[in-house]
Amino acid sequence: QVQLVESGGGLVQPGGSLRLSCAASGSIFSINAMGWYRQAPGKQRELVADINSGGSTNYADSVKGRFTISRDNAKNTVYLQMNSLKPEDTAVYYCHTLVSSNGLIYYHYWGQGTQVTVSS
């Protein structure tokens, strides 16, 4: 089994910054993609950004140029640096990973979610 522990959410004013972290632990042989999704009230969960094991990144158009995703493979941790935050970034942010315990089959795992609120 794999556990994901998220941290770093909170309340910030428009234009401010936050950094989210998500650490994976447990039965891990290898991690493929790691990423962040978000879900605002009344909306579907959407991809914010992801990064594969080679370091290639992908961003939602709405966050390009403002958010940066990175990962520390030695720590099995993914980060999301969020700058120039806007009220429309308010949502619950979920960490997501593809993890294999044996190098053959990968499973999806989700974090518990962390609230990000952008408001003055």
Side-chain angles (χ1 to χ4, degrees):
Q1 190 68 318
V2 173
Q3 297 78 40
L4 301 180
V5 178
E6 302 165 352
S7 61
L11 172 64
V12 64
Q13 292 186 341
S17 298
L18 284 174
R19 188 191 194 209
L20 305 183
S21 300
C22 173
S25 62
S27 181
I28 299 172
F29 179 83
S30 66
I31 299 178
N32 192 338
M34 305 185 81
W36 293 92
Y37 287 70
R38 68 185 180 187
Q39 187 167 19
K43 295 188 177 181
Q44 290 187 332
R45 189 173 298 189
E46 63 176 0
L47 173 69
V48 177
D50 60 20
I51 182 169
N52 66 18
S53 57
S56 294
T57 59
N58 178 45
Y59 294 93
D61 287 343
S62 59
V63 307
K64 284 180 180 176
R66 300 188 297 122
F67 292 9
T68 302
I69 190 169
S70 61
R71 62 190 281 176
D72 184 332
N73 292 328
K75 296 181 179 180
N76 292 332
T77 299
V78 62
Y79 305 97
L80 185 69
Q81 178 65 43
M82 304 185 292
N83 298 329
S84 303
L85 282 160
K86 304 175 181 180
E88 51 263 44
D89 294 317
T90 296
V92 178
Y93 284 69
Y94 296 91
C95 175
H96 168 262
T97 66
L98 276 173
V99 179
S100 175
S101 298
N102 57 15
L104 298 176
I105 302 174
Y106 285 81
Y107 293 94
H108 295 267
Y109 291 93
W110 292 91
Q112 78 281 4
T114 185
Q115 177 70 44
V116 172
T117 302
V118 185
S119 175
S120 55

